[in-house]
Amino acid sequence: MSKRVITPEDLLQLRSVTSPALSSNGEQLVYVETTLHNEKNAYAAELMKTSLTDPHSTVQLTQGEHVNRLPQWSPKEEILAFISNRTGTPQLFLLSGWGEPKQLTEEKKGVTDFKWSPDGTQIAYTSVQLPEDEKEDKEDKQLEPLVVNKMKYKSDASGFWQGEYTHVFTVDIQSHKHSQLTSGEMSYTLLDWMSDSQQVLVTSVNQKDTDFVFTNDLLILSVETKEQVQLTDQTHVISEASVSPDGAYIAMRAHERAYENATHFEIYLLELATTTWTKLTADWDVQLGPVVAADFLQNTVDPGLVWSQDSKSISLLVSSNGNVDVYQVSVDGTREALLTGEQHVYGFALHPDGQTLVAGISTSGHPGDLYLTKVKTNEVTRLTTSNDSVLDELEVVQAEEIRFTHEEGHELQGWLMKPSGFSEGESYPLIVEIHGGPHAMYANSYMHEFQTLTSRGFAVLYINPRGSLGYGQEFVNAVRGDYGGGDYRDIMAAVDYTLEQNPWIDETRLGVTGGSYGGFMTNWIVGHTNRFKAAVTQRSICNWTSFYGVSDIGYYFTEWQIQADLNETDKLWKHSPLAYVNQIETPLLILHGEKDYRCPIEQAEQLYIALKRREKTTTFIRFPEANHELSRSGKPSLRLRRLEAIGQWFDQYL
């Protein structure tokens, strides 16, 4: 059967298979299967259950096209807890006997996260709590002005801050009795339970004025007395912490901001009996955790630091050289690779035997499935086939790795995708894709945008330039203070190398695109060279001076990354693509979300007006109700429209 090329609409056919969760005995697996619906312009995520010994026994546990996510088994029984928006807001539900789910919470703003207690009698959860005068709905509520007294007053993810804080609660599984463990004008992040099931591990910022506070502290909360014990002293950025099953240790993933947000995380081990901290990964120059720039998978969950049953080791995801692997770090600091390869492991569950994994794995040519992996024998068995019927119809292009040494001495890694239906002797245009961040990593992972471009007859080149994670601390830090310098030279060197190695690419038909930092680089490139005949800039930055005050992260991100503030406007302007607008000759499509608070739409407006005033070739598309996550989790109809606009622009000018 002849296969057809991939279209943007295939997003509606393909399924994300994520969030594997194993029962306490390791026999049953539950996972999340997410689909997009264009008619309802929404996402649906259903819970699926299967047996590790009989994958053909798969059953769907939830119905109704709601978003059901974050499944977690009770440590003691075959009871499943999960978050669902079936009642309108995301609430906590229990499922046992595979009947109708029972609702555990009725929080006004919903539940954001939860953890089972080790003894299976309680669940701790977090919920955003409104100020007292906002908790009760008022009839005929008048529009009220927003009074702002802090710099961190808005968020791309949650909008304007209205005085709400995230607090920690517990609920008893039998009695359904709720207890609020935290209160006051500070937010808490739930991490884990202590092994006695009487205390909860959280992080918080114990300070009211947080405008210039970027660290947090590790705390233990007593469920009975609500007393707090502080374990750290505001010296680290803590992203994760986990308690060993025997209660002897707390493992923490954190860093000390040596390179601000470009700093690699480390694993620290606290021995509770001696209150001794040990850095387990001091000699390991990798990024701990997943940092892949991708556009397809939904409801992925970083499992964090996963303890073995014997409390002797921790398993975690590690990003390195375009791959995300699973490694194990023992309490004495030794390391072992559990699952590696040219692939993106986007989640895993560790079997009680400590030597078996269920892992979600994607590659450049496959959206992702769950696999059972035996560590000692390297035996791999595929457990899910959710996309097989669709993929059987599609011509999916595999990316080919490229590696070369830059003339400045460092090695660069990237990938080249040939056009669908590639034929020797034919000539093809090339599109260069640039990831955001800048501290992210392109990987051996499926990218739907890239596939839709190859289906239109374009080759696609994507690399990890200076500033990308996955290649050591020095490499990731090299972009700070040098935006448009070494990173620009890396990208152009990759273009030169690719053209030299692939004479079938038509060097007179080059395109470039990227989003966020990738949008900044797209703007910078077309302002510094006319080699590209078409460009698409997405959710971009063009003016660091205005970005400083309008982005939700502007004032500190600009100081960290450009290493200048409003007292150094000459430097901010020097690194602003808008300063070079007179040199832009490349036809430029500008895509931006109306509610993007990360790179606000005024950045796009400035660039568009500057180009139009100079009678340059440009078009501006504004996406309603869309924030910075448009390409990854925006409304399905807008995601399709975006992909179509990119493809049509390159069709027109290449």
Side-chain angles (χ1 to χ4, degrees), residues 147-168:
V147 180
V148 176
N149 289 305
K150 56 192 289 185
M151 296 175 78
K152 294 178 182 175
Y153 72 93
K154 62 181 176 180
S155 160
D156 186 65
S158 54
F160 291 114
W161 184 73
Q162 306 276 0
E164 65 273 19
Y165 294 94
T166 301
H167 286 295
V168 182

Side-chain angles (χ1 to χ4, degrees), residues 637-648:
S637 64
L638 296 182
R639 291 181 67 186
L640 298 183
R641 179 68 182 87
R642 171 188 162 273
L643 290 171
E644 199 61 46
I646 295 169
Q648 289 174 353

Side-chain angles (χ1 to χ4, degrees), residues 313-533:
S313 63
I314 304 149
S315 298
L316 73 159
L317 296 175
V318 174
S319 298
S320 179
N321 289 278
N323 301 312
V324 181
D325 303 315
V326 185
Y327 275 80
Q328 192 174 77
V329 181
S330 69
V331 294
D332 65 7
T334 58
R335 300 187 291 270
E336 178 186 0
L338 300 186
L339 178 59
T340 62
E342 293 185 357
Q343 59 199 17
H344 169 200
V345 180
Y346 54 81
F348 72 90
L350 184 64
H351 193 277
D353 65 14
Q355 292 298 315
T356 306
L357 294 171
V358 173
I361 300 174
S362 174
T363 64
S364 66
H366 197 284
D369 264 316
L370 300 182
Y371 296 81
L372 182 68
T373 302
K374 303 286 186 180
V375 174
K376 289 192 180 299
T377 62
N378 291 320
E379 179 186 350
V380 178
T381 305
R382 186 153 71 124
L383 297 175
T384 61
T385 57
S386 301
N387 289 311
D388 279 15
S389 61
V390 180
L391 293 175
D392 285 346
E393 302 175 2
L394 301 177
E395 181 183 346
V396 184
V397 177
Q398 302 279 346
E400 302 169 12
E401 184 190 48
I402 62 170
R403 280 184 185 266
F404 67 97
T405 301
H406 193 286
E407 63 180 14
E408 296 176 31
H410 56 279
E411 187 178 56
L412 290 170
Q413 181 189 29
W415 293 266
L416 177 65
M417 298 172 70
K418 291 178 178 176
S420 297
F422 175 81
S423 177
E424 294 287 351
E426 296 290 327
S427 180
Y428 297 92
L430 173 72
I431 295 171
V432 179
E433 289 268 5
I434 308 168
H435 67 64
H439 308 312
M441 180 184 76
Y442 275 142
N444 286 296
S445 187
Y446 181 85
M447 289 287 288
H448 195 71
E449 178 178 329
F450 298 177
Q451 295 288 343
T452 63
L453 290 174
T454 61
S455 73
R456 290 178 177 266
F458 302 112
V460 175
L461 169 68
Y462 52 107
I463 76 153
N464 287 321
R466 268 172 275 194
S468 302
L469 286 161
Y471 305 91
Q473 183 64 82
E474 181 180 344
F475 190 85
V476 71
N477 188 57
V479 74
R480 293 174 66 231
D482 189 38
Y483 274 46
D487 48 359
Y488 171 65
R489 295 194 298 274
D490 284 350
I491 293 167
M492 298 310 293
V495 172
D496 292 338
Y497 174 84
T498 303
L499 292 176
E500 180 184 333
Q501 297 295 313
N502 299 275
W504 52 268
I505 297 174
D506 184 349
E507 63 180 33
T508 69
R509 292 191 291 159
L510 302 180
V512 61
T513 185
S516 193
Y517 163 79
F520 160 85
M521 279 306 308
T522 299
N523 297 339
W524 185 270
I525 286 170
V526 297
H528 287 78
T529 178
N530 291 325
R531 291 182 69 182
F532 295 90
K533 302 309 176 188

